[in-house]
Amino acid sequence: MKTDQQNIVLLRSGFERMQTKDDLLVLLNQAKQIIYGEETHPFRLKAISFYANPKIATDRYREFTINKKSGGIRKIHAPVNGLKTIQRCLNLILQSIFEPGKAATGFVPGRSIVTNAMVHKGMHYVYNVDLKDFFPSIDFRRVKTCLGLQPFELNDTKADGRDFLAFIIANLCCTSLDVERKSQEGLWKIETKSVLPQGAPTSPTITNIVSQKLDRKLSGLARRFGLNYSRYADDITFSSLHNVYQAGSEFIIELNRIIERQRFDVNPKKTRLQKSCYRQEVTGLLVNEKPNVHRRYIKQVRTMIHNWEKLEYVEANKVFLANYIPDKGHLIKGNPNFLNVLSGKLEFLKMVRGINDPTYVRLDQRFQLLVKKQKENQTQLIDFDNIIETLSKEGLEKAMSLFDRFKNQYNGC
């Protein structure tokens, strides 16, 4: 979310003055008012203390899985509502204080996958490295240690030590999970550790805080070899006009050494070198000439609009569901909303290609015309005679139910 400068200054000054758990409570409530409005109910100190103690709050997270399109499953640990609200407020505070370096493009206000892709457009070579188990590779100790450093300085160097506040915040952000760790012999084994869960609002921001030294080291490595470097979460990308990415090269040896010393691990299955004579991809976008979507994406949008133009909305929605669910069913539950999906796809196209892109402009004009026409026809599509008859015979509740059913047929158009 966007936060104006006045609120950022407010949260920063409150954090600098913070000395006690009561001060932390005040700061969290200030952030809660910024997010939820002044009428929101304030946090109570016992709620903060409860969720910061994993021995007492034993059911702080709900575990579920989502299917990966490439196969397998991804475990998500979503915080319960009370903890989630605290984490959202804490995340706003952390983002107000910490500004990641230019290399970090993920989970940073004002940056996106387009920002990440722009770094690598028009290069002869694009080299992608993926970090294994990125979120759970960061444990409680690393989080607490980073909170003791600049710009947070929650440490015991001052007369009134603030390191216990780092302990509380780290406990609010971490939870015990079974995770893979590499032994000194190079073998993987399962251990139970307090780590960052994938699913908590604070986890993405904290990964950037913990990874700032990694970014500095890899940025320095890139300068040394004349490369471009960026990182979007666990997705690391280098690009250049020359090839330094051969196995066993000085660059690869130094890259692996830096990643290992920063206590991360490379996922070898997702490491790849892309040459300019083939399709080059960075965080899902093409970068051969400029950031762009795949042709398949534009074809999908054009087909959805064409079906709506040629068929009734309800029929176009049926065609959409028949094609969309097999493609995206691994990510969603229930039926997606045709209008919302199409609108979102156009917004994404605008973000990637720009508001003045001719393809986007033509598709959006057709879309807006369809929406306008649908709104104009909606009152005619609703059988008001049937609703009035139902009202007189069966009462208001039945009539409203019938009215809602008519509206839902057209998914809110």
Side-chain angles (χ1 to χ4, degrees), residues 127-131 234-238 255 259 266-267 270-272:
Y127 186 68
N128 301 109
V129 176
D130 187 84
L131 299 179
D234 58 352
D235 196 332
I236 289 172
T237 305
F238 293 90
L255 171 64
I259 291 175
V266 173
N267 184 349
K270 294 187 178 180
T271 299
R272 56 180 177 164

Side-chain angles (χ1 to χ4, degrees), residues 382-402:
I382 295 176
D383 188 349
F384 282 105
D385 289 338
N386 193 357
I387 292 174
I388 293 172
E389 184 178 357
T390 302
L391 176 65
S392 61
K393 291 182 178 180
E394 302 183 52
L396 178 61
E397 186 175 344
K398 290 285 186 181
M400 289 300 298
S401 177
L402 183 61

Side-chain angles (χ1 to χ4, degrees), residues 5-162:
Q5 190 60 34
Q6 184 177 358
N7 286 329
I8 291 175
V9 171
L10 174 69
L11 295 176
R12 281 180 177 175
S13 61
F15 192 92
E16 290 173 1
R17 296 193 306 268
M18 186 171 62
Q19 296 290 335
T20 67
K21 191 186 293 187
D22 287 317
D23 294 335
L24 174 61
L25 176 66
V26 170
L27 191 61
L28 286 168
N29 281 323
Q30 288 175 336
K32 192 177 186 184
Q33 286 189 342
I34 294 170
I35 296 173
Y36 297 100
E38 294 186 358
E39 300 301 318
T40 188
H41 295 291
F43 295 121
R44 299 170 65 183
L45 187 59
K46 69 176 185 179
I48 308 300
S49 300
F50 174 75
Y51 286 117
N53 190 336
K55 294 182 180 179
I56 298 176
T58 55
D59 297 319
R60 300 187 299 169
Y61 290 85
R62 179 174 59 90
E63 180 182 314
F64 61 94
T65 60
I66 59 174
N67 296 325
K68 296 180 181 179
K69 192 172 183 179
S70 58
I73 59 173
R74 185 189 308 278
K75 286 186 179 181
I76 304 296
H77 294 86
V80 297
N81 288 337
L83 178 58
K84 183 178 180 179
T85 304
I86 294 171
Q87 288 177 341
R88 283 196 67 193
C89 298
L90 189 54
N91 189 58
L92 177 61
I93 295 168
L94 296 176
Q95 286 188 337
S96 297
I97 296 164
F98 176 73
E99 183 176 352
K102 291 182 179 180
T105 59
F107 317 123
V108 182
R111 305 179 196 177
S112 66
I113 60 172
V114 179
T115 312
N116 192 55
M118 283 291 291
V119 177
H120 308 286
K121 65 178 183 177
M123 293 289 106
H124 290 171
Y125 300 93
V126 175
Y127 186 68
N128 301 109
V129 176
D130 187 84
L131 299 179
K132 175 180 168 61
D133 299 332
F134 186 53
F135 288 88
S137 68
I138 298 173
D139 60 26
F140 171 88
R141 187 188 304 175
R142 293 177 73 181
V143 175
K144 181 178 179 296
T145 298
C146 286
L147 290 173
L149 305 174
Q150 291 183 344
F152 305 101
E153 297 187 287
L154 296 180
N155 51 55
D156 58 0
T157 58
K158 297 182 180 181
D160 297 322
R162 305 200 301 167

